[in-house]
Amino acid sequence: MSNILEVKNLTMHYETIDGDVDAVKNVSFNVKAGESFGIVGESGCGKTSVAMSLLQLQAENGKISNGSILFDGLELVGMSENDLRKVRWDGISIVFQGAMNAWNPVVKIGEQIREAMREHSPESSKSQNTLKINELFTMVGLDSSVADRFPHELSGGMKQRAIIALALSCDPKLVIADEPTTALDVVIQDQILNEIKKVQELLGLSLIYISHDIAVIAEMTDKIAVMYAGSIVEIGPTEQVFKFPKHSYTRSLLDSTPSIRGEKKKLRSLEGEPPSLINKIDGCSFSPRCPTPTNGCKNQSIEMGLVKVGNDHYADKCCSECTSE
Amino acid sequence: MLTNAVRNVPVNNLIEVRNLVKHFEVSSGLFSRNKKVIKAVDGVDFDIKAGETLGLVGQSGCGKTTTARSLCLLDPKTSGTVKFFNPDSQKMDSIDELDDDGIRVFRRNMQMIFQDPYESLNPRWTIKDIIKEPLDIHNIGALNDREEAVVEILRTVGLTPPENYLSRYPHEISGGQRQRVSIARTLIMKPKFVICDEPTSMLDVSIRISIMDLMLNLAKDLDVSYLYITHDLAVARYMCNRIAVMFNGKIVEIADTEDLLQNPIHPYTKRLISSIPIPDPSYKRERYQINYDELDKIISKNPDKKMIDIGNEHFVATHDTKEYFIES
Amino acid sequence: MNNLENEKEIAKSIRKAAILKNWKLFKQSRLGMVGLYIVAFFFILTILQPILFITGIWDEGTYHPVVGYVDQTQDFLIVECPKEFPTEKYEKRSDCPGRKEVNIKTLFYADGEVGETIQLNLQPAPPSRDHILGTDSLGRDVFSQIMEGSQVAFLLGILSATLGVGISTILGTIAAFFGGRIDAYLMRQSDLVLMLPTLPLLFIISAFAELKIWHLAVVLGTIGGLGGSVITIKSQALQVKVKPFVDSARITGGSQMKILFSHVLPNVAPLALLFMVFSVTGAIASESVLSFLGLLNIEMSWGLMIYLAQVEGYIFSGLKYWWLILPAGLSVTFLTGGFYLVGRGLDEVFNPRLRKR
């Protein structure tokens, strides 16, 4: 299976009045066609910045200073705005965090989806679009009457389903979902995750799923990348990373997630907070909070980089050599 | 800090709630006489024993926060009785019958920790003043001793060295630290009962446990009972002895934690539990199909009761909730 | 308690850093900076005048804005301006009388015949080396008057703004906090004041009372304070009232009053500060209008300068006597504009959403 997306050494920073904030540092990963790729991390780790950079939708003061984004063979970094617009929604579409609240309140749902379709496939007729919308709605479990409703008439779950339909409306090959179910009830979340899985299988979609929720990532993805302070600290097949987490941060994340099943294991917690991304960080960015740092970790000049620790499984150099438990 | 979440459960009731009801009136339309009534809390019963943590679990809009606010007199309840154990008289007092002194005693013993670490501290007050305020309001201790108490409690909640925090303002410290300040302020008066309204849901996942462990340890050391409100059953499992599941203003099921998770009876509880994702890729989760058979059988054996005891203090709600349980 | 002192030092430096950051944010707003420069400029004018007098650079007899006097006379040739133009001497109407001539028809205070030379006061005199903005018809230095007017503007503006904001903050917060009948009453009162046209009201008041600067400041402050700003402050106070930290204080058992003053008010203050800056502009503008209409009993102000120019007929000579009109008029415009821009800049500091990141 070929890679639908190849990201190499992506580096992005925001220019603020306090200085440059290095939001994404040397991030590389590949997504195969039909694969579900997860990015997991906490607030400020850079996962949303990565998502935005993929479509060059970052804020005005965000600049990509290095790296390449190959989508289906097309280099996205440096592309003109016009060409990018064709790629957006057609090739890659995105479900933002809180997207369900971004519906225009004075326009009917169906009309808003039509707008997107008109923009990207102007040749298709109105009736063709209507047919498509109905298909999409069925796929996500919405009644076709929803197209005639206004956003405020729908529940949170329905709005989110409609957002997914919107994201699929132009037949993208890759969908980026940034915390699509965070604000929803767990029962609705379950239904929507189910829907997403079904749609993915049906359409052979590739999916990039971004979340801080370990449990959702565990269930939704084939491969994950764990991010901390702007870099990927561990990346590999989901089952592998969960069973044999190599990086100390990954282990902390897994150890701090309570579950309703299984024995009540001892849970660990981290102290402190993620480092400020304004100051240049030398060496391991996690070592100040690492529960088991070695002397080498605290060495600021240690060279960082991902090394292989298993089958298709990579982790930060220092943790892979770490012998403490 | 590793802790065993389940503590020994003592016998005395600290709080007794019977038929708590909170209605909101919303006028429907500009000239309409009809006032629509929203039954936010629709007849809720539960007890909390001294030293125990009761979890109140439910999805947004189910009424758990409204219940909490009615309990601590923030929003007056519409009807129902709330009794709490008065340590001075050693009797259960109803909060309706409290005089001014009684209310003062009540307020000393009941506190609340809020969800949002950014909005629950006054941005214009220093940490020291924030934590000291309860002592000032209730005139506890000499003025000099109050500062000592603040320093002491800062150490207890893990904000050391305390001097570093006294003169700071809330926006100068992190979210996790702010919640610790909230906890410090709440516990400085050593209340008997604290309502925790999702105190960790706005914090980073990796630091939640430290806050929860802190609360568990303090509960043991200071002998405090918690009403722990959350939408996350996994968190409730970690923190609580007993869990009450709420839906649409009513309690659907209430039982000891493990009993509830292993042996849920009500379809809503079962569905809730089965919807929760498990952080283990190899775990095959089975989705629950809603089925009222088991519940109906139990109801037929106890036709008149609102909440049926199926043994081991495990209660299930009956006909009431079935009507409201609609597929969304 | 060495640690405590250390800690106070650390806290102070953090505070300084925060103020610096706010300053940087303000600097980002170009409008705000422009406004700040303008206001600073006028402020310098304000303190410049007393400095010049005290240090003796300016002699009070000559330069005092109200009672200074400069004697400047010149020989004028008396002419009679023809009724129709052009004539052989004059091309158009504005050529007569010429620079060293005076029309016999405008000679009220002296006698003379056509063709005679007569000595007249040169006032109002155009800008010269000694008087950079010239003098007015009474021989008073215009630049000094501008500076005096600046003092008046600042005083009036800040006084009335402070009073107005004080009143509206307290009323707005009380309305939000207590609700019910108190709220209803205050809102109706606000509506009423909003409905009243301010200037005509001021005209009426000035008919009954002699309005000096202080009086005007109180009147403007009170009217402003009871008006629309109460409603805006009330809405801000309402937002604060439902914040968890207020709930926390209520649960702990704090009294209504204590919560009102120590929790709600301090959080409404930034908005109030913003209002203050904006209401200064209204105050200064009101004063100039009232002075222009001759309704105030103020010794010297920008509005008064224009009033005198108009009453003495200099406004109708076009730009011939520009120094009597333009400096005062532009001062009003620029200072009110400056304060407004500062308000805009402050808005960006307080309202993170408006920032350009």
Side-chain angles (χ1 to χ4, degrees):
Chain A
M1 257 197 290
S2 60
N3 287 332
I4 190 105
L5 184 73
E6 284 180 17
V7 177
K8 276 200 188 50
N9 301 108
L10 183 62
T11 309
M12 197 258 273
H13 65 270
Y14 290 108
E15 290 165 0
T16 70
I17 51 174
D18 291 321
D20 284 348
V21 176
D22 295 324
V24 180
K25 295 184 241 187
N26 243 334
V27 162
S28 309
F29 61 90
N30 297 335
V31 180
K32 297 199 186 73
E35 185 181 53
S36 186
F37 183 77
I39 303 182
V40 65
E42 298 173 300
S43 53
C45 70
K47 52 194 200 294
T48 302
S49 300
V50 168
M52 295 303 221
S53 308
L54 290 179
L55 281 173
Q56 317 272 297
L57 286 174
Q58 67 271 21
E60 251 183 66
N61 60 341
K63 308 270 185 289
I64 295 183
S65 52
N66 194 16
S68 100
I69 302 173
L70 273 178
F71 173 65
D72 215 9
L74 275 172
E75 173 63 65
L76 296 183
V77 175
M79 229 189 206
S80 74
E81 181 67 19
N82 268 334
D83 293 331
L84 274 173
R85 224 178 273 146
K86 292 198 201 98
V87 175
R88 288 182 202 139
W89 236 245
D90 242 343
I92 310 179
S93 75
I94 181 165
V95 177
F96 295 104
Q97 213 169 359
M100 61 179 166
N101 294 320
W103 284 112
N104 187 336
V106 297
V107 181
K108 292 189 183 160
I109 298 279
E111 184 53 38
Q112 297 190 48
I113 302 185
R114 262 181 237 280
E115 254 185 79
M117 292 168 124
R118 276 198 293 266
E119 180 72 30
H120 287 270
S121 33
E123 350 64 56
S124 53
S125 71
K126 182 160 179 193
S127 49
Q128 279 175 319
N129 284 345
T130 313
L131 210 65
K132 185 82 187 283
I133 292 182
N134 284 337
E135 267 176 38
L136 290 169
F137 278 6
T138 317
M139 249 197 282
V140 299
L142 279 177
D143 189 55
S144 51
S145 64
V146 168
D148 280 327
R149 304 240 201 109
F150 287 98
H152 65 261
E153 300 178 66
L154 306 177
S155 70
M158 292 163 96
K159 278 192 279 199
Q160 197 63 351
R161 286 193 175 97
I163 283 284
I164 295 171
L166 176 66
L168 297 172
S169 59
C170 301
D171 300 316
K173 301 203 191 74
L174 171 67
V175 175
I176 305 173
D178 191 352
E179 309 264 19
T181 57
T182 305
L184 299 172
D185 289 346
V186 86
V187 176
I188 312 279
Q189 171 180 274
D190 185 43
Q191 290 172 346
I192 291 193
L193 292 179
N194 213 15
E195 236 91 73
I196 294 181
K197 268 213 188 125
K198 266 189 347 213
V199 165
Q200 200 195 355
E201 270 182 39
L202 198 65
L203 299 176
L205 269 184
S206 310
L207 181 68
I208 295 183
Y209 199 97
I210 301 176
S211 179
H212 64 272
D213 189 338
I214 310 274
V216 169
I217 291 273
E219 294 195 351
M220 290 294 291
T221 59
D222 307 313
K223 190 167 171 201
I224 61 170
V226 180
M227 280 189 78
Y228 185 80
S231 344
I232 294 184
V233 296
E234 187 158 359
I235 178 170
T238 309
E239 273 201 51
Q240 277 281 303
V241 175
F242 269 79
K243 263 208 221 127
F244 309 112
K246 280 282 178 274
H247 196 276
S248 184
Y249 177 63
T250 315
R251 267 187 255 149
S252 302
L253 266 185
L254 295 177
D255 285 345
S256 61
T257 306
S259 167
I260 56 169
R261 291 291 174 232
E263 358 174 315
K264 282 180 85 167
K265 56 178 178 146
K266 302 174 195 170
L267 291 180
R268 274 199 304 171
S269 185
L270 283 177
E271 294 302 327
E273 37 173 21
S276 157
L277 297 173
I278 288 184
N279 312 315
K280 292 260 172 292
I281 302 170
D282 292 316
C284 178
S285 53
F286 186 63
S287 57
R289 296 171 84 192
C290 183
T292 54
T294 63
N295 283 328
C297 298
K298 299 195 215 136
N299 178 2
Q300 295 294 65
S301 59
I302 203 172
E303 213 188 288
M304 303 304 296
L306 292 174
V307 295
K308 193 159 183 179
V309 293
N311 190 10
D312 204 21
H313 182 181
Y314 299 82
D316 242 348
K317 186 162 183 272
C318 59
C319 278
S320 63
E321 294 165 1
C322 186
T323 46
S324 48
E325 187 29 55
Chain B
M1 269 188 294
L2 306 175
T3 355
N4 185 354
V6 181
R7 294 175 278 144
N8 294 325
V9 179
V11 191
N12 306 321
N13 272 348
L14 186 69
I15 306 258
E16 278 177 14
V17 176
R18 295 283 176 271
N19 222 0
L20 181 63
V21 170
K22 174 74 184 164
H23 287 170
F24 289 106
E25 273 184 10
V26 180
S27 44
S28 45
L30 200 56
F31 296 108
S32 160
R33 294 250 164 148
N34 298 334
K35 293 211 163 204
K36 209 168 81 167
V37 170
I38 296 183
K39 299 185 185 168
V41 180
D42 202 13
V44 155
D45 301 338
F46 60 86
D47 296 338
I48 302 182
K49 298 194 176 61
E52 143 178 284
T53 300
L54 174 69
L56 194 53
V57 174
Q59 304 303 288
S60 52
C62 70
K64 48 195 200 292
T65 303
T66 315
T67 305
R69 290 177 70 99
S70 299
L71 213 57
C72 60
L73 299 180
L74 265 186
D75 302 328
K77 57 181 164 60
T78 310
S79 71
T81 51
V82 174
K83 291 200 191 144
F84 82 103
F85 182 73
N86 188 337
D88 298 334
S89 69
Q90 297 280 310
K91 280 195 294 142
M92 297 297 283
D93 287 342
S94 164
I95 56 177
D96 297 322
E97 296 160 9
L98 289 177
D99 58 1
D100 281 343
D101 278 334
I103 294 195
R104 207 167 297 135
V105 171
F106 181 70
R107 292 223 181 272
R108 273 182 69 154
N109 283 299
M110 156 99 70
Q111 280 294 314
M112 187 153 159
I113 301 176
F114 295 88
Q115 180 181 20
D116 189 340
Y118 299 91
E119 305 277 22
S120 45
L121 305 177
N122 189 332
R124 308 216 159 264
W125 282 31
T126 58
I127 303 292
K128 181 182 93 171
D129 289 332
I130 290 174
I131 300 181
K132 194 158 72 88
E133 192 189 15
L135 298 179
D136 290 336
I137 290 180
H138 289 269
N139 240 325
I140 300 178
L143 288 169
N144 309 338
D145 296 335
R146 288 180 202 171
E147 271 205 40
E148 275 302 309
V150 173
V151 170
E152 190 58 42
I153 196 99
L154 275 174
R155 263 200 211 104
T156 313
V157 299
L159 291 175
T160 48
E163 296 86 32
N164 278 4
Y165 293 93
L166 288 175
S167 315
R168 294 261 179 101
Y169 285 97
H171 62 265
E172 294 167 352
I173 59 178
S174 73
Q177 289 168 327
R178 269 184 257 210
Q179 281 303 57
R180 287 177 197 260
V181 170
S182 283
I183 295 173
R185 173 207 164 85
T186 311
L187 293 170
I188 196 169
M189 280 201 300
K190 305 208 191 339
K192 286 265 151 272
F193 181 61
V194 177
I195 301 177
C196 314
D197 191 355
E198 310 225 40
T200 58
S201 61
M202 288 185 71
L203 300 176
D204 272 349
V205 167
S206 55
I207 60 172
R208 285 180 194 177
I209 296 291
S210 64
I211 302 289
M212 291 200 275
D213 281 345
L214 172 66
M215 291 175 63
L216 288 172
N217 285 330
L218 286 172
K220 247 199 285 195
D221 295 338
L222 300 174
D223 199 28
V224 188
S225 306
Y226 290 137
L227 177 66
Y228 199 93
I229 300 177
T230 175
H231 63 275
D232 188 344
L233 259 180
V235 163
R237 184 191 190 201
Y238 190 75
M239 288 290 296
C240 313
N241 304 107
R242 281 168 72 69
I243 296 181
V245 177
M246 241 180 121
F247 176 73
N248 230 355
K250 296 187 199 261
I251 290 188
V252 166
E253 191 162 355
I254 177 169
D256 286 347
T257 305
E258 291 306 313
D259 195 7
L260 187 86
L261 291 174
Q262 304 299 334
N263 189 23
I265 304 291
H266 198 283
Y268 180 74
T269 317
K270 291 196 200 183
R271 195 200 202 195
L272 188 65
I273 293 177
S274 82
S275 303
I276 298 177
I278 308 290
D280 180 356
S282 47
Y283 188 94
K284 289 286 171 273
R285 184 160 57 92
E286 271 182 38
R287 274 186 188 87
Y288 169 70
Q289 301 303 324
I290 298 178
N291 180 323
Y292 281 91
D293 292 345
E294 190 184 359
L295 183 63
D296 283 337
K297 226 188 286 174
I298 299 179
I299 293 177
S300 62
K301 289 197 209 144
N302 303 274
D304 296 319
K305 292 219 171 156
K306 196 177 99 179
M307 288 282 268
I308 303 174
D309 184 351
I310 61 167
N312 199 18
E313 300 225 355
H314 185 150
F315 296 88
V316 188
T318 61
H319 312 273
D320 281 77
T321 54
K322 195 172 173 180
E323 296 157 16
Y324 296 100
F325 191 19
I326 315 166
E327 297 282 338
S328 69
Chain C
M1 275 291 212
N2 247 343
N3 266 340
L4 212 51
E5 277 161 25
N6 253 356
E7 165 48 22
K8 293 230 168 91
E9 285 306 311
I10 301 177
K12 247 193 260 175
S13 62
I14 295 182
R15 215 64 38 73
K16 252 191 252 171
I19 297 180
L20 224 73
K21 168 138 197 214
N22 276 341
W23 171 236
K24 264 203 264 187
L25 275 169
F26 185 77
K27 276 220 292 219
Q28 255 199 329
S29 151
R30 254 176 286 138
L31 292 177
M33 285 315 284
V34 168
L36 194 64
Y37 287 140
I38 295 177
V39 173
F41 170 71
F42 281 101
F43 188 69
I44 292 176
L45 287 187
T46 312
I47 46 179
L48 192 60
Q49 194 203 50
I51 292 179
L52 287 174
F53 283 151
I54 292 175
T55 57
I57 299 180
W58 267 10
D59 162 39
E60 273 206 44
T62 320
Y63 285 95
H64 194 276
V66 182
V67 299
Y69 176 72
V70 170
D71 208 0
Q72 278 180 288
T73 58
Q74 188 184 270
D75 283 336
F76 281 92
L77 179 67
I78 304 180
V79 296
E80 183 163 354
C81 285
K83 291 220 169 75
E84 278 168 16
F85 296 87
T87 65
E88 37 174 62
K89 220 180 161 197
Y90 306 109
E91 254 190 61
K92 34 192 188 347
R93 186 176 292 274
S94 53
D95 279 349
C96 176
R99 282 244 259 115
K100 297 217 171 153
E101 299 169 344
V102 64
N103 191 352
I104 189 166
K105 295 221 170 69
T106 63
L107 263 189
F108 299 118
Y109 300 108
D111 283 319
E113 298 293 326
V114 179
E116 278 182 7
T117 323
I118 184 170
Q119 250 201 357
L120 286 178
N121 237 333
L122 200 51
Q123 317 298 8
S128 62
R129 207 168 34 117
D130 286 331
H131 302 272
I132 17 176
L133 284 178
T135 57
D136 73 350
S137 59
L138 291 181
R140 307 181 288 191
D141 180 81
V142 171
F143 189 43
S144 180
Q145 292 182 327
I146 293 285
M147 289 198 273
E148 180 84 10
S150 188
Q151 294 174 353
V152 167
F154 269 99
L155 205 70
L156 177 72
I158 294 177
L159 219 72
S160 72
T162 314
L163 184 64
V165 163
I167 294 178
S168 59
T169 305
I170 294 183
L171 290 184
T173 317
I174 289 180
F177 202 72
F178 290 108
R181 291 217 191 103
I182 299 180
D183 178 21
Y185 166 72
L186 285 173
M187 289 301 105
R188 298 295 81 74
Q189 178 184 274
S190 248
D191 287 338
L192 206 71
V193 173
L194 260 178
M195 274 198 314
L196 293 174
T198 325
L199 278 180
L201 182 68
L202 289 171
F203 297 161
I204 298 176
I205 295 181
S206 67
F208 286 106
E210 220 183 72
L211 287 179
K212 294 218 175 91
I213 273 289
W214 307 97
H215 307 161
L216 184 63
V218 167
V219 169
L220 283 175
T222 317
I223 297 180
L226 293 173
S229 41
V230 178
I231 305 180
T232 320
I233 298 239
K234 170 192 155 183
S235 90
Q236 174 81 348
L238 276 179
Q239 287 180 38
V240 174
K241 181 176 148 188
V242 295
K243 294 220 166 159
F245 64 80
V246 173
D247 281 340
S248 190
R250 284 171 62 200
I251 293 182
T252 313
S255 71
Q256 295 260 57
M257 275 306 166
K258 182 174 190 309
I259 294 179
L260 179 64
F261 280 106
S262 39
H263 282 287
V264 181
L265 258 182
N267 282 296
V268 177
L271 185 70
L273 180 68
L274 212 61
F275 263 123
M276 199 168 120
V277 175
F278 285 124
S279 62
V280 169
T281 65
I284 299 177
S286 296
E287 184 276 321
S288 0
V289 171
L290 288 174
S291 285
F292 177 72
L293 296 172
L295 295 171
L296 293 181
N297 185 9
I298 301 181
E299 288 193 329
M300 180 51 54
S301 76
W302 294 331
L304 192 68
M305 290 165 74
I306 305 183
Y307 167 70
L308 290 174
Q310 185 240 7
V311 148
E312 291 163 8
Y314 293 112
I315 282 193
F316 301 105
S317 317
L319 285 180
K320 196 151 166 219
Y321 292 97
W322 61 269
W323 63 94
L324 295 178
I325 308 159
L326 282 185
L330 288 177
S331 294
V332 173
T333 312
F334 274 111
L335 187 58
T336 52
F339 269 109
Y340 173 75
L341 292 176
V342 168
R344 282 286 303 272
L346 274 181
D347 209 8
E348 277 181 35
V349 171
F350 289 134
N351 244 334
R353 274 165 286 156
L354 292 174
R355 290 186 210 157
K356 299 175 190 96
R357 226 207 193 264

